Amino acid sequence: MNRKIVIAISREYGSGGKIIGEMLSEDLGIHYYDKELMKLASEESGINEALFNKADAKFTGYSLLNRITRSVYKGELLSPRDSDFTSKENLFNYQAKVIRNLADADSCIIVGRCADFVLKDYDNVVRVFLHAPESFRLSQAAERVSLPPEKLQRYVEKENAARAEYYRYYTGNDWYDVRHVDLSFDTSVYGFDKCAEFIKGYMKLRFEGLEF
């Protein structure tokens, strides 16, 4: 691309966010970041990567504490001397720092990690939310996870509940409120290829003179 653009993708589990992100990465020739962000945050902070994974896992338990509390991201980072240096809030803030560094450096695609909110003050970010009906998401999940139908349904529900809680905890916003994004697609209606094409078409309309 002839200018720096960041695509921030939020997605329901099973809606094809990874597939569409990777398609855009290949088509546009820009890097795709997902779980790699935790490794980069570990390198940035010096904190063991396992702790970043563990912090994410805390949101899969539907805890009442998560539901009634918030730690809306403001950008502060604690020093290694602070007793809360490895708290889940500080770990998130390091991931957010990495996201902002990546956005400052070059065009890229960032999946999850509240990137749309972390980069809310950037005017070169395309914010996308991908969703799909349960039947479609379950069929997609079945290709990745080997579980009986009832357990698979519970697994997908738990994953999406965790993502919604994670987003609410760090942003104070409803994950499903599309007023916070530029584009929202039901991937079961359009298919992955067309969704990727729609995103690229929107980019050309929004950013005058953009070429890729």
Side-chain angles (χ1 to χ4, degrees), residues 18-35:
K18 177 180 174 63
I19 296 171
I20 292 171
E22 290 177 341
M23 282 180 176
L24 290 168
S25 174
E26 183 174 351
D27 289 348
L28 301 175
I30 61 178
H31 203 94
Y32 165 93
Y33 296 95
D34 188 351
K35 292 185 178 180

Side-chain angles (χ1 to χ4, degrees), residues 20 23 185 187 189-201:
I20 292 171
M23 282 180 176
F185 298 117
T187 56
V189 173
Y190 301 108
F192 302 147
D193 289 313
K194 283 188 178 179
C195 285
E197 290 302 315
F198 288 152
I199 293 168
K200 290 190 293 183

Side-chain angles (χ1 to χ4, degrees), residues 20-74:
I20 292 171
E22 290 177 341
M23 282 180 176
L24 290 168
S25 174
E26 183 174 351
D27 289 348
L28 301 175
I30 61 178
H31 203 94
Y32 165 93
Y33 296 95
D34 188 351
K35 292 185 178 180
E36 184 182 354
L37 290 170
M38 288 188 280
K39 178 181 178 182
L40 295 173
S42 173
E43 293 171 353
E44 174 73 26
S45 64
I47 299 171
N48 192 303
E49 186 178 347
L51 291 178
F52 286 91
N53 287 295
K54 185 177 180 181
D56 271 9
K58 288 182 179 179
F59 285 86
T60 62
Y62 296 52
S63 83
L64 179 61
L65 181 62
N66 284 344
R67 294 184 181 188
I68 64 176
T69 61
R70 296 179 182 177
S71 182
V72 176
Y73 167 74
K74 296 183 178 65

Side-chain angles (χ1 to χ4, degrees), residues 163-178:
R163 291 179 182 185
E165 287 296 325
Y166 182 97
Y167 191 84
R168 188 201 64 82
Y169 187 80
Y170 290 118
T171 73
N173 297 327
D174 180 356
W175 191 49
Y176 289 102
D177 186 348
V178 295

Side-chain angles (χ1 to χ4, degrees), residues 31-142:
H31 203 94
Y32 165 93
Y33 296 95
D34 188 351
K35 292 185 178 180
E36 184 182 354
L37 290 170
M38 288 188 280
K39 178 181 178 182
L40 295 173
S42 173
E43 293 171 353
E44 174 73 26
S45 64
I47 299 171
N48 192 303
E49 186 178 347
L51 291 178
F52 286 91
N53 287 295
K54 185 177 180 181
D56 271 9
K58 288 182 179 179
F59 285 86
T60 62
Y62 296 52
S63 83
L64 179 61
L65 181 62
N66 284 344
R67 294 184 181 188
I68 64 176
T69 61
R70 296 179 182 177
S71 182
V72 176
Y73 167 74
K74 296 183 178 65
E76 303 94 338
L77 290 170
L78 301 178
S79 76
R81 296 184 297 276
D82 196 294
S83 60
D84 289 329
F85 181 61
T86 58
S87 65
K88 68 178 185 291
E89 292 81 9
N90 201 44
L91 296 176
F92 176 86
N93 289 347
Y94 267 105
Q95 287 184 109
K97 181 183 180 183
V98 167
I99 288 171
R100 293 176 73 90
N101 288 346
L102 293 172
D104 288 337
D106 204 354
S107 295
C108 61
I109 298 160
I110 301 174
V111 175
R113 304 289 179 269
C114 306
D116 62 324
F117 186 83
V118 170
L119 301 174
K120 65 182 185 297
D121 54 339
Y122 285 60
D123 62 7
N124 65 330
V125 178
V126 176
R127 298 164 179 85
V128 182
F129 184 79
L130 303 174
H131 59 95
E134 181 183 61
S135 58
F136 182 85
R137 290 185 281 110
L138 288 174
S139 67
Q140 291 295 310

